[in-house]
Amino acid sequence: MAKHGADEPSCRSGSLDGEGRNSKDRSLLHQRLAVQELIDTEVSYLHMLQLCASDIRSRLQQLPQGDLDVLFSNIDDIIKVNSRFLHDLQETASKKEEQVQLVGNLFLEFQEELEQVYKVYCASYDQALLLVDTYRKEPELQRHIQGIIEAVVPQAGSSGLSFLLVIPLQRITRYPLLLQKILENTVPDASAYPVLQRAVSALQDVNTNINEYKMRKEVASKYTKVEQLTLRERLARINTHTLSKKTTRLSQMLKQEAGLIPRTEDKEFDDLEERFQWVSLCVTELKNNVAAYLDNLQTFLCFRTHEYSLDIPEGPAVQYCNLARDLQLEAFLTFKQRLEGLVWQPLCSLAKALLGPQNLIKKRLDKLLDFERLEEKLLEVGSVTYQEEAARHTYQALNSLLVAELPQFNQLVVQWLGQILRTFMTLQRDLAKQVLQRAEGSMAQLPHHHVPESAFRKLVEDALGRTNNQLRSFQETFEKVLPPPTTQPLLPGSERQVQALLSRYGPGKLYQVTSNISGTGTLDLTLPRGQIVALLQNKDTKGNSSRWLVDTGGHRGYVPAGKLQLYHVVPSAEELRRQVGLNKDPRCLTLEPSPAPAPSIPTVNQVIAVYPFVARSSHEVSLQAGQPVTILEAQDKKGNPEWSLVEVNGQRGYVPSGFLARAPSPVLWGWSLPS
């Protein structure tokens, strides 16, 4: 009995050890089965992806390429990553003892790659489902798509495309569950246990990051839409909710500007936004410059020198016309077409791509004001409503998206700009080469083609210098005989006003308006062409000499100085007659009887010289201002009306017609000037 009692504990201990070994063996078996399940499901998953990418996508050619890009997204990148992942996963099978730890390390190694490829696919998944819904509304197209899928993947059933598109989403969410199953069948003291724990946590973070990225993309797609709304449509969207929201934002902004509440500062975002605004300015300036360049190029192409007669029968002029025709009809036209296609259109596309981020940055400012207000409320009250919490998440999503993607966007825009500039320079270089090649044949036929370049430059400089001297000499001679500026005709009934200004300010202060003036400011005058004004000051109160202060005889104000010219006072008929009377001896006047009395004094048109004129040849005659003349012919021998044949003091000759004017003057009956 004693012996039996002594052996009893030993039997009980052996039984416990056996149960422990059996439990450990079962865990090890379940662990291996879980690892095998991971590998087997990865094989079938990758096979399904390859069927979608090769067989199904290649047979859906009836769909537009844009639809295929949305439906299958970056499935090729997923296949590449998962193929390498499966290969390394299968390699672990040869190391039974270390396999579990190797599997955990493998997931940690592929964590970033899996997140990058799957977040792109998941972000476009909702848009792919919208396409699937549109296909269902077209029965014939839906039957065609369903037939292709059932032929390749019979297990898809009636779900069709929806069954295939959701497979990558299901796979990335299943990885943490498969790892968790392996972890549950691993003893805590095993070396692989902490590795599996980190792998499970890493894959859970991957799914969390994918969901956040998907949410940010949804927010971005909502706020990047630039709608062209009419004023009526904008007014129709105004309601009490929008008014309350905008009023609250305005109040928040005013408090910040007044310094009542602090402004949220984000140095990282501010730096990114500043660089984005700089890049946007570069794109805008370059677009404006290229547009001006194209306009000038179009103007240049309209100037067809080869179509005009140069009055030079043979020689270099003919060669130049041939070269100009060849360049304009081929080289320059081709250059313009390439410039529009390779520079202008990409630049317009780049400017259009900036609209989305610009709208997001603007919306982020609005959402930041909402976020700051809700943060204040959260500190005061301790809670917010569901809608307010959603508004907080919207700002956080927008801010995270901009901080994450603005650096890449800025870098891509700079690269795009650099490529456009390089293309523009290449086009310029190609044009220069074409012009030189086409000009080589014509240059060989020119008279000075054998002259060295330095000597040819000296020859051109000498020829230009001689021509410049001739032009300067002609200009000086022309200025000597140039008639004074023509005076605009006076407005009807303005003689009395001119006399008033003349008596008040003198002739040196009178100016005439050369074209209509429309005043835009409160002190600007609106004057018609021909108006006479008196100059008060040749600058305004700010010292701007392009605006003069004038007096119209009734109003004072500012007018553009460029629309005024000095007014040359033309003497009246009485003054002319008085001047003539003073020059004549009154004793020479003879009394002639009047044939008959007249009730009134008639008038005749008398021609006088308005400006002095100095004869330059024997065919011309000199004039003095106010001197009466007799017009013999109102044109020269060639019929040119700019010159008139006149008689002055018994001399005949030509004078400029613009120097003469007709002035009515009374004729005293019974008196006449001696001939």
Side-chain angles (χ1 to χ4, degrees), residues 444-474:
Q445 302 176 15
L446 294 177
H448 304 289
H449 71 279
H450 60 281
V451 179
E453 182 178 354
S454 58
F456 181 74
R457 288 180 178 273
K458 184 67 169 57
L459 183 66
V460 172
E461 291 176 358
D462 294 342
L464 291 177
R466 289 193 300 270
T467 305
N468 188 32
N469 293 334
Q470 294 175 0
L471 181 61
R472 187 180 298 108
S473 176
F474 174 77

PDB file of all heavy atoms in Angstrom, residues 444-474:
ATOM      1  N   ALA A 444      25.848  81.836-100.549  1.00  0.00           N
ATOM      2  CA  ALA A 444      26.938  81.596-101.497  1.00  0.00           C
ATOM      3  C   ALA A 444      26.803  82.442-102.753  1.00  0.00           C
ATOM      4  O   ALA A 444      27.783  82.654-103.472  1.00  0.00           O
ATOM      5  CB  ALA A 444      26.998  80.119-101.863  1.00  0.00           C
ATOM      6  N   GLN A 445      25.591  82.928-103.035  1.00  0.00           N
ATOM      7  CA  GLN A 445      25.364  83.730-104.238  1.00  0.00           C
ATOM      8  C   GLN A 445      25.408  85.229-103.970  1.00  0.00           C
ATOM      9  O   GLN A 445      25.261  86.026-104.894  1.00  0.00           O
ATOM     10  CB  GLN A 445      24.003  83.371-104.844  1.00  0.00           C
ATOM     11  CG  GLN A 445      23.872  81.892-105.191  1.00  0.00           C
ATOM     12  CD  GLN A 445      22.487  81.541-105.699  1.00  0.00           C
ATOM     13  OE1 GLN A 445      21.722  82.427-106.039  1.00  0.00           O
ATOM     14  NE2 GLN A 445      22.187  80.258-105.756  1.00  0.00           N
ATOM     15  N   LEU A 446      25.588  85.632-102.711  1.00  0.00           N
ATOM     16  CA  LEU A 446      25.636  87.049-102.378  1.00  0.00           C
ATOM     17  C   LEU A 446      26.987  87.644-102.773  1.00  0.00           C
ATOM     18  O   LEU A 446      28.003  86.941-102.828  1.00  0.00           O
ATOM     19  CB  LEU A 446      25.387  87.246-100.887  1.00  0.00           C
ATOM     20  CG  LEU A 446      23.985  86.869-100.400  1.00  0.00           C
ATOM     21  CD1 LEU A 446      23.894  87.039 -98.880  1.00  0.00           C
ATOM     22  CD2 LEU A 446      22.920  87.701-101.086  1.00  0.00           C
ATOM     23  N   PRO A 447      27.035  88.969-103.027  1.00  0.00           N
ATOM     24  CA  PRO A 447      28.285  89.586-103.518  1.00  0.00           C
ATOM     25  C   PRO A 447      29.447  89.472-102.531  1.00  0.00           C
ATOM     26  O   PRO A 447      30.587  89.371-102.948  1.00  0.00           O
ATOM     27  CB  PRO A 447      27.878  91.057-103.727  1.00  0.00           C
ATOM     28  CG  PRO A 447      26.393  91.039-103.863  1.00  0.00           C
ATOM     29  CD  PRO A 447      25.911  89.914-103.025  1.00  0.00           C
ATOM     30  N   HIS A 448      29.198  89.492-101.252  1.00  0.00           N
ATOM     31  CA  HIS A 448      30.280  89.529-100.265  1.00  0.00           C
ATOM     32  C   HIS A 448      30.426  88.203 -99.528  1.00  0.00           C
ATOM     33  O   HIS A 448      30.861  88.191 -98.375  1.00  0.00           O
ATOM     34  CB  HIS A 448      30.017  90.649 -99.256  1.00  0.00           C
ATOM     35  CG  HIS A 448      29.843  92.000 -99.871  1.00  0.00           C
ATOM     36  ND1 HIS A 448      30.887  92.694-100.443  1.00  0.00           N
ATOM     37  CD2 HIS A 448      28.739  92.774-100.047  1.00  0.00           C
ATOM     38  CE1 HIS A 448      30.446  93.849-100.918  1.00  0.00           C
ATOM     39  NE2 HIS A 448      29.140  93.920-100.692  1.00  0.00           N
ATOM     40  N   HIS A 449      30.027  87.104-100.148  1.00  0.00           N
ATOM     41  CA  HIS A 449      30.100  85.828 -99.431  1.00  0.00           C
ATOM     42  C   HIS A 449      31.535  85.397 -99.171  1.00  0.00           C
ATOM     43  O   HIS A 449      31.807  84.643 -98.243  1.00  0.00           O
ATOM     44  CB  HIS A 449      29.369  84.744-100.233  1.00  0.00           C
ATOM     45  CG  HIS A 449      30.095  84.329-101.482  1.00  0.00           C
ATOM     46  ND1 HIS A 449      30.030  85.049-102.662  1.00  0.00           N
ATOM     47  CD2 HIS A 449      30.919  83.263-101.713  1.00  0.00           C
ATOM     48  CE1 HIS A 449      30.763  84.447-103.588  1.00  0.00           C
ATOM     49  NE2 HIS A 449      31.311  83.372-103.047  1.00  0.00           N
ATOM     50  N   HIS A 450      32.502  85.877 -99.980  1.00  0.00           N
ATOM     51  CA  HIS A 450      33.898  85.473 -99.807  1.00  0.00           C
ATOM     52  C   HIS A 450      34.627  86.339 -98.789  1.00  0.00           C
ATOM     53  O   HIS A 450      35.760  86.036 -98.409  1.00  0.00           O
ATOM     54  CB  HIS A 450      34.628  85.584-101.150  1.00  0.00           C
ATOM     55  CG  HIS A 450      34.628  86.977-101.713  1.00  0.00           C
ATOM     56  ND1 HIS A 450      33.523  87.504-102.362  1.00  0.00           N
ATOM     57  CD2 HIS A 450      35.574  87.958-101.686  1.00  0.00           C
ATOM     58  CE1 HIS A 450      33.798  88.749-102.735  1.00  0.00           C
ATOM     59  NE2 HIS A 450      35.021  89.053-102.324  1.00  0.00           N
ATOM     60  N   VAL A 451      33.997  87.407 -98.309  1.00  0.00           N
ATOM     61  CA  VAL A 451      34.644  88.310 -97.357  1.00  0.00           C
ATOM     62  C   VAL A 451      34.659  87.664 -95.971  1.00  0.00           C
ATOM     63  O   VAL A 451      33.643  87.099 -95.551  1.00  0.00           O
ATOM     64  CB  VAL A 451      33.893  89.664 -97.319  1.00  0.00           C
ATOM     65  CG1 VAL A 451      34.548  90.613 -96.311  1.00  0.00           C
ATOM     66  CG2 VAL A 451      33.863  90.287 -98.701  1.00  0.00           C
ATOM     67  N   PRO A 452      35.785  87.735 -95.244  1.00  0.00           N
ATOM     68  CA  PRO A 452      35.815  87.183 -93.877  1.00  0.00           C
ATOM     69  C   PRO A 452      34.788  87.877 -92.983  1.00  0.00           C
ATOM     70  O   PRO A 452      34.352  88.998 -93.253  1.00  0.00           O
ATOM     71  CB  PRO A 452      37.256  87.461 -93.416  1.00  0.00           C
ATOM     72  CG  PRO A 452      38.039  87.627 -94.666  1.00  0.00           C
ATOM     73  CD  PRO A 452      37.110  88.221 -95.677  1.00  0.00           C
ATOM     74  N   GLU A 453      34.450  87.193 -91.903  1.00  0.00           N
ATOM     75  CA  GLU A 453      33.393  87.709 -91.042  1.00  0.00           C
ATOM     76  C   GLU A 453      33.754  89.058 -90.437  1.00  0.00           C
ATOM     77  O   GLU A 453      32.925  89.981 -90.397  1.00  0.00           O
ATOM     78  CB  GLU A 453      33.104  86.709 -89.917  1.00  0.00           C
ATOM     79  CG  GLU A 453      31.969  87.151 -88.988  1.00  0.00           C
ATOM     80  CD  GLU A 453      31.669  86.122 -87.921  1.00  0.00           C
ATOM     81  OE1 GLU A 453      32.267  85.024 -87.966  1.00  0.00           O
ATOM     82  OE2 GLU A 453      30.848  86.428 -87.036  1.00  0.00           O
ATOM     83  N   SER A 454      34.999  89.210 -89.985  1.00  0.00           N
ATOM     84  CA  SER A 454      35.402  90.490 -89.383  1.00  0.00           C
ATOM     85  C   SER A 454      35.335  91.619 -90.399  1.00  0.00           C
ATOM     86  O   SER A 454      34.838  92.723 -90.103  1.00  0.00           O
ATOM     87  CB  SER A 454      36.810  90.364 -88.806  1.00  0.00           C
ATOM     88  OG  SER A 454      37.732  89.974 -89.830  1.00  0.00           O
ATOM     89  N   ALA A 455      35.811  91.345 -91.621  1.00  0.00           N
ATOM     90  CA  ALA A 455      35.762  92.376 -92.656  1.00  0.00           C
ATOM     91  C   ALA A 455      34.325  92.686 -93.060  1.00  0.00           C
ATOM     92  O   ALA A 455      33.980  93.847 -93.345  1.00  0.00           O
ATOM     93  CB  ALA A 455      36.575  91.929 -93.875  1.00  0.00           C
ATOM     94  N   PHE A 456      33.470  91.651 -93.075  1.00  0.00           N
ATOM     95  CA  PHE A 456      32.068  91.878 -93.434  1.00  0.00           C
ATOM     96  C   PHE A 456      31.362  92.726 -92.376  1.00  0.00           C
ATOM     97  O   PHE A 456      30.561  93.611 -92.695  1.00  0.00           O
ATOM     98  CB  PHE A 456      31.359  90.538 -93.605  1.00  0.00           C
ATOM     99  CG  PHE A 456      29.909  90.669 -93.992  1.00  0.00           C
ATOM    100  CD1 PHE A 456      29.558  91.034 -95.279  1.00  0.00           C
ATOM    101  CD2 PHE A 456      28.902  90.440 -93.067  1.00  0.00           C
ATOM    102  CE1 PHE A 456      28.228  91.165 -95.643  1.00  0.00           C
ATOM    103  CE2 PHE A 456      27.570  90.573 -93.415  1.00  0.00           C
ATOM    104  CZ  PHE A 456      27.239  90.934 -94.713  1.00  0.00           C
ATOM    105  N   ARG A 457      31.693  92.476 -91.099  1.00  0.00           N
ATOM    106  CA  ARG A 457      31.111  93.296 -90.037  1.00  0.00           C
ATOM    107  C   ARG A 457      31.529  94.756 -90.191  1.00  0.00           C
ATOM    108  O   ARG A 457      30.726  95.675 -90.023  1.00  0.00           O
ATOM    109  CB  ARG A 457      31.534  92.768 -88.669  1.00  0.00           C
ATOM    110  CG  ARG A 457      30.887  91.459 -88.257  1.00  0.00           C
ATOM    111  CD  ARG A 457      31.369  91.025 -86.881  1.00  0.00           C
ATOM    112  NE  ARG A 457      30.732  89.797 -86.462  1.00  0.00           N
ATOM    113  CZ  ARG A 457      29.570  89.719 -85.823  1.00  0.00           C
ATOM    114  NH1 ARG A 457      28.926  90.841 -85.538  1.00  0.00           N
ATOM    115  NH2 ARG A 457      29.060  88.557 -85.476  1.00  0.00           N
ATOM    116  N   LYS A 458      32.833  94.975 -90.519  1.00  0.00           N
ATOM    117  CA  LYS A 458      33.310  96.336 -90.722  1.00  0.00           C
ATOM    118  C   LYS A 458      32.611  96.983 -91.911  1.00  0.00           C
ATOM    119  O   LYS A 458      32.225  98.176 -91.862  1.00  0.00           O
ATOM    120  CB  LYS A 458      34.822  96.295 -90.957  1.00  0.00           C
ATOM    121  CG  LYS A 458      35.470  97.655 -91.091  1.00  0.00           C
ATOM    122  CD  LYS A 458      35.415  98.419 -89.777  1.00  0.00           C
ATOM    123  CE  LYS A 458      36.293  99.667 -89.806  1.00  0.00           C
ATOM    124  NZ  LYS A 458      35.957 100.583 -90.885  1.00  0.00           N
ATOM    125  N   LEU A 459      32.380  96.200 -92.958  1.00  0.00           N
ATOM    126  CA  LEU A 459      31.704  96.717 -94.143  1.00  0.00           C
ATOM    127  C   LEU A 459      30.269  97.138 -93.818  1.00  0.00           C
ATOM    128  O   LEU A 459      29.809  98.210 -94.223  1.00  0.00           O
ATOM    129  CB  LEU A 459      31.708  95.643 -95.241  1.00  0.00           C
ATOM    130  CG  LEU A 459      31.098  96.019 -96.592  1.00  0.00           C
ATOM    131  CD1 LEU A 459      31.927  97.103 -97.256  1.00  0.00           C
ATOM    132  CD2 LEU A 459      31.012  94.796 -97.492  1.00  0.00           C
ATOM    133  N   VAL A 460      29.593  96.310 -93.063  1.00  0.00           N
ATOM    134  CA  VAL A 460      28.211  96.632 -92.684  1.00  0.00           C
ATOM    135  C   VAL A 460      28.168  97.858 -91.783  1.00  0.00           C
ATOM    136  O   VAL A 460      27.316  98.747 -91.943  1.00  0.00           O
ATOM    137  CB  VAL A 460      27.559  95.412 -92.000  1.00  0.00           C
ATOM    138  CG1 VAL A 460      26.199  95.780 -91.435  1.00  0.00           C
ATOM    139  CG2 VAL A 460      27.415  94.259 -92.988  1.00  0.00           C
ATOM    140  N   GLU A 461      29.101  97.930 -90.816  1.00  0.00           N
ATOM    141  CA  GLU A 461      29.121  99.083 -89.914  1.00  0.00           C
ATOM    142  C   GLU A 461      29.380 100.378 -90.668  1.00  0.00           C
ATOM    143  O   GLU A 461      28.753 101.406 -90.388  1.00  0.00           O
ATOM    144  CB  GLU A 461      30.181  98.867 -88.834  1.00  0.00           C
ATOM    145  CG  GLU A 461      29.826  97.759 -87.843  1.00  0.00           C
ATOM    146  CD  GLU A 461      30.944  97.501 -86.852  1.00  0.00           C
ATOM    147  OE1 GLU A 461      31.998  98.169 -86.981  1.00  0.00           O
ATOM    148  OE2 GLU A 461      30.762  96.635 -85.973  1.00  0.00           O
ATOM    149  N   ASP A 462      30.289 100.339 -91.631  1.00  0.00           N
ATOM    150  CA  ASP A 462      30.564 101.544 -92.423  1.00  0.00           C
ATOM    151  C   ASP A 462      29.351 101.955 -93.239  1.00  0.00           C
ATOM    152  O   ASP A 462      29.007 103.146 -93.314  1.00  0.00           O
ATOM    153  CB  ASP A 462      31.761 101.300 -93.346  1.00  0.00           C
ATOM    154  CG  ASP A 462      33.050 101.109 -92.565  1.00  0.00           C
ATOM    155  OD1 ASP A 462      33.077 101.507 -91.378  1.00  0.00           O
ATOM    156  OD2 ASP A 462      34.013 100.554 -93.120  1.00  0.00           O
ATOM    157  N   ALA A 463      28.680 100.968 -93.854  1.00  0.00           N
ATOM    158  CA  ALA A 463      27.495 101.289 -94.658  1.00  0.00           C
ATOM    159  C   ALA A 463      26.381 101.862 -93.790  1.00  0.00           C
ATOM    160  O   ALA A 463      25.726 102.843 -94.158  1.00  0.00           O
ATOM    161  CB  ALA A 463      27.018 100.035 -95.392  1.00  0.00           C
ATOM    162  N   LEU A 464      26.204 101.278 -92.608  1.00  0.00           N
ATOM    163  CA  LEU A 464      25.181 101.801 -91.698  1.00  0.00           C
ATOM    164  C   LEU A 464      25.544 103.189 -91.194  1.00  0.00           C
ATOM    165  O   LEU A 464      24.675 104.044 -91.010  1.00  0.00           O
ATOM    166  CB  LEU A 464      24.994 100.847 -90.519  1.00  0.00           C
ATOM    167  CG  LEU A 464      24.344  99.498 -90.839  1.00  0.00           C
ATOM    168  CD1 LEU A 464      24.293  98.623 -89.592  1.00  0.00           C
ATOM    169  CD2 LEU A 464      22.940  99.684 -91.384  1.00  0.00           C
ATOM    170  N   GLY A 465      26.841 103.434 -90.965  1.00  0.00           N
ATOM    171  CA  GLY A 465      27.256 104.753 -90.518  1.00  0.00           C
ATOM    172  C   GLY A 465      26.992 105.819 -91.570  1.00  0.00           C
ATOM    173  O   GLY A 465      26.509 106.917 -91.254  1.00  0.00           O
ATOM    174  N   ARG A 466      27.308 105.503 -92.840  1.00  0.00           N
ATOM    175  CA  ARG A 466      27.036 106.467 -93.904  1.00  0.00           C
ATOM    176  C   ARG A 466      25.537 106.730 -94.037  1.00  0.00           C
ATOM    177  O   ARG A 466      25.101 107.877 -94.188  1.00  0.00           O
ATOM    178  CB  ARG A 466      27.602 105.959 -95.228  1.00  0.00           C
ATOM    179  CG  ARG A 466      29.118 105.971 -95.303  1.00  0.00           C
ATOM    180  CD  ARG A 466      29.586 105.754 -96.723  1.00  0.00           C
ATOM    181  NE  ARG A 466      29.119 104.479 -97.253  1.00  0.00           N
ATOM    182  CZ  ARG A 466      29.804 103.337 -97.149  1.00  0.00           C
ATOM    183  NH1 ARG A 466      30.978 103.316 -96.517  1.00  0.00           N
ATOM    184  NH2 ARG A 466      29.321 102.215 -97.662  1.00  0.00           N
ATOM    185  N   THR A 467      24.764 105.678 -93.972  1.00  0.00           N
ATOM    186  CA  THR A 467      23.310 105.849 -94.074  1.00  0.00           C
ATOM    187  C   THR A 467      22.769 106.658 -92.902  1.00  0.00           C
ATOM    188  O   THR A 467      21.879 107.498 -93.068  1.00  0.00           O
ATOM    189  CB  THR A 467      22.636 104.477 -94.115  1.00  0.00           C
ATOM    190  OG1 THR A 467      23.200 103.694 -95.173  1.00  0.00           O
ATOM    191  CG2 THR A 467      21.149 104.608 -94.358  1.00  0.00           C
ATOM    192  N   ASN A 468      23.329 106.429 -91.724  1.00  0.00           N
ATOM    193  CA  ASN A 468      22.887 107.171 -90.550  1.00  0.00           C
ATOM    194  C   ASN A 468      23.196 108.658 -90.686  1.00  0.00           C
ATOM    195  O   ASN A 468      22.384 109.517 -90.338  1.00  0.00           O
ATOM    196  CB  ASN A 468      23.558 106.594 -89.309  1.00  0.00           C
ATOM    197  CG  ASN A 468      22.999 107.181 -88.025  1.00  0.00           C
ATOM    198  OD1 ASN A 468      21.825 107.518 -87.963  1.00  0.00           O
ATOM    199  ND2 ASN A 468      23.835 107.292 -87.006  1.00  0.00           N
ATOM    200  N   ASN A 469      24.374 108.972 -91.215  1.00  0.00           N
ATOM    201  CA  ASN A 469      24.730 110.382 -91.424  1.00  0.00           C
ATOM    202  C   ASN A 469      23.806 111.035 -92.443  1.00  0.00           C
ATOM    203  O   ASN A 469      23.377 112.186 -92.264  1.00  0.00           O
ATOM    204  CB  ASN A 469      26.180 110.485 -91.881  1.00  0.00           C
ATOM    205  CG  ASN A 469      27.158 110.049 -90.788  1.00  0.00           C
ATOM    206  OD1 ASN A 469      26.837 110.136 -89.605  1.00  0.00           O
ATOM    207  ND2 ASN A 469      28.332 109.571 -91.189  1.00  0.00           N
ATOM    208  N   GLN A 470      23.491 110.321 -93.514  1.00  0.00           N
ATOM    209  CA  GLN A 470      22.577 110.863 -94.508  1.00  0.00           C
ATOM    210  C   GLN A 470      21.194 111.097 -93.911  1.00  0.00           C
ATOM    211  O   GLN A 470      20.551 112.121 -94.168  1.00  0.00           O
ATOM    212  CB  GLN A 470      22.489 109.916 -95.704  1.00  0.00           C
ATOM    213  CG  GLN A 470      23.787 109.795 -96.491  1.00  0.00           C
ATOM    214  CD  GLN A 470      23.683 108.760 -97.597  1.00  0.00           C
ATOM    215  OE1 GLN A 470      22.636 108.137 -97.772  1.00  0.00           O
ATOM    216  NE2 GLN A 470      24.769 108.565 -98.339  1.00  0.00           N
ATOM    217  N   LEU A 471      20.761 110.163 -93.107  1.00  0.00           N
ATOM    218  CA  LEU A 471      19.442 110.304 -92.488  1.00  0.00           C
ATOM    219  C   LEU A 471      19.414 111.475 -91.516  1.00  0.00           C
ATOM    220  O   LEU A 471      18.440 112.236 -91.466  1.00  0.00           O
ATOM    221  CB  LEU A 471      19.072 109.005 -91.767  1.00  0.00           C
ATOM    222  CG  LEU A 471      17.695 108.965 -91.087  1.00  0.00           C
ATOM    223  CD1 LEU A 471      16.585 109.164 -92.106  1.00  0.00           C
ATOM    224  CD2 LEU A 471      17.497 107.643 -90.351  1.00  0.00           C
ATOM    225  N   ARG A 472      20.489 111.651 -90.750  1.00  0.00           N
ATOM    226  CA  ARG A 472      20.541 112.770 -89.809  1.00  0.00           C
ATOM    227  C   ARG A 472      20.556 114.104 -90.547  1.00  0.00           C
ATOM    228  O   ARG A 472      19.892 115.068 -90.155  1.00  0.00           O
ATOM    229  CB  ARG A 472      21.777 112.642 -88.924  1.00  0.00           C
ATOM    230  CG  ARG A 472      21.814 113.690 -87.809  1.00  0.00           C
ATOM    231  CD  ARG A 472      23.044 113.565 -86.938  1.00  0.00           C
ATOM    232  NE  ARG A 472      23.081 112.273 -86.252  1.00  0.00           N
ATOM    233  CZ  ARG A 472      23.917 111.295 -86.558  1.00  0.00           C
ATOM    234  NH1 ARG A 472      24.788 111.449 -87.548  1.00  0.00           N
ATOM    235  NH2 ARG A 472      23.885 110.163 -85.895  1.00  0.00           N
ATOM    236  N   SER A 473      21.323 114.170 -91.647  1.00  0.00           N
ATOM    237  CA  SER A 473      21.361 115.398 -92.439  1.00  0.00           C
ATOM    238  C   SER A 473      19.996 115.720 -93.028  1.00  0.00           C
ATOM    239  O   SER A 473      19.539 116.874 -93.005  1.00  0.00           O
ATOM    240  CB  SER A 473      22.403 115.264 -93.549  1.00  0.00           C
ATOM    241  OG  SER A 473      22.402 116.407 -94.377  1.00  0.00           O
ATOM    242  N   PHE A 474      19.319 114.686 -93.526  1.00  0.00           N
ATOM    243  CA  PHE A 474      17.980 114.899 -94.074  1.00  0.00           C
ATOM    244  C   PHE A 474      17.010 115.354 -92.993  1.00  0.00           C
ATOM    245  O   PHE A 474      16.165 116.221 -93.212  1.00  0.00           O
ATOM    246  CB  PHE A 474      17.488 113.606 -94.722  1.00  0.00           C
ATOM    247  CG  PHE A 474      16.068 113.676 -95.196  1.00  0.00           C
ATOM    248  CD1 PHE A 474      15.742 114.337 -96.376  1.00  0.00           C
ATOM    249  CD2 PHE A 474      15.050 113.099 -94.450  1.00  0.00           C
ATOM    250  CE1 PHE A 474      14.437 114.405 -96.805  1.00  0.00           C
ATOM    251  CE2 PHE A 474      13.738 113.176 -94.875  1.00  0.00           C
ATOM    252  CZ  PHE A 474      13.431 113.821 -96.061  1.00  0.00           C
TER     253      PHE A 474
END
